[in-house]
Amino acid sequence: MRRAVLTTASTSALVVLLLTLKPHHSADPIGGTPQTGAASAPAPTGSTHRGTASTPATTGSAHRSAGQRNGTYTGAPVTTKYGTVQVAISVKAGQLSTVKVLKAPSEDARSREIAAYALPRLTQEALNVHSAHVDAVSGASYTSAGYVRSLQSALDEAGV
């Protein structure tokens, strides 16, 4: 009888201990440091600007106060755990008007399926709020984080 009580108590303690442990992940899906140097500090110099702008590309507050820049801007490619995400945006009247996904995770069928589900939702939400402040899509945390970082780099470049 003592063995049964001791075994039950120790098993219960072990289960509780295992349930309280948190797994460690090597990459932070949201926030965290980017895995590529290109995504960490996009240069707002207009180097990949392909549209027509009424003002020359400058930096800092003069860039933002220069008014409304129209054109197409390419975001930095962001490498995620499941593949690279990159977007291009069009700006009209100083607001985000279109978002086009240039690169999406496609290394395997599951990555393509998640990207096909998440990217249209992220794009629609970004167009609704005219910024990169969008919620991550459930089940696509890494893809969502890469999308947001690439989108923000394009918006920074556009001065929006």
Side-chain angles (χ1 to χ4, degrees):
M1 182 71 174
R2 271 191 199 175
R3 275 189 197 168
V5 171
L6 184 59
T7 303
T8 303
S10 62
T11 303
S12 298
L14 182 61
V15 168
V16 169
L17 179 65
L18 288 174
L19 291 175
T20 59
L21 292 176
K22 304 278 189 233
H24 296 283
H25 297 287
S26 62
D28 186 15
I30 300 186
T33 57
Q35 295 177 357
T36 62
S40 61
T45 60
S47 59
T48 57
H49 173 66
R50 289 181 274 162
T52 57
S54 59
T55 59
T58 58
T59 60
S61 61
H63 178 73
R64 295 199 187 280
S65 65
Q68 300 176 355
R69 295 185 59 186
N70 295 327
T72 301
Y73 303 87
T74 301
V78 178
T79 302
T80 68
K81 184 176 179 179
Y82 299 104
T84 303
V85 180
Q86 184 177 23
V87 300
I89 64 168
S90 293
V91 175
K92 290 184 183 170
Q95 286 194 334
L96 181 64
S97 62
T98 62
V99 179
K100 180 179 179 184
V101 177
L102 301 177
K103 292 182 184 176
S106 61
E107 294 177 5
D108 57 37
R110 181 69 177 143
S111 295
R112 286 189 297 273
E113 180 182 349
I114 290 172
Y117 173 79
L119 294 173
R121 285 165 177 73
L122 292 165
T123 299
Q124 187 59 48
E125 189 172 350
L127 291 172
N128 288 341
V129 298
H130 298 288
S131 75
H133 300 289
V134 296
D135 293 331
V137 174
S138 178
S141 298
Y142 290 95
T143 301
S144 296
Y147 180 93
V148 167
R149 285 197 297 249
S150 183
L151 178 60
Q152 186 61 56
S153 72
L155 290 169
D156 289 346
E157 183 180 329
V160 176

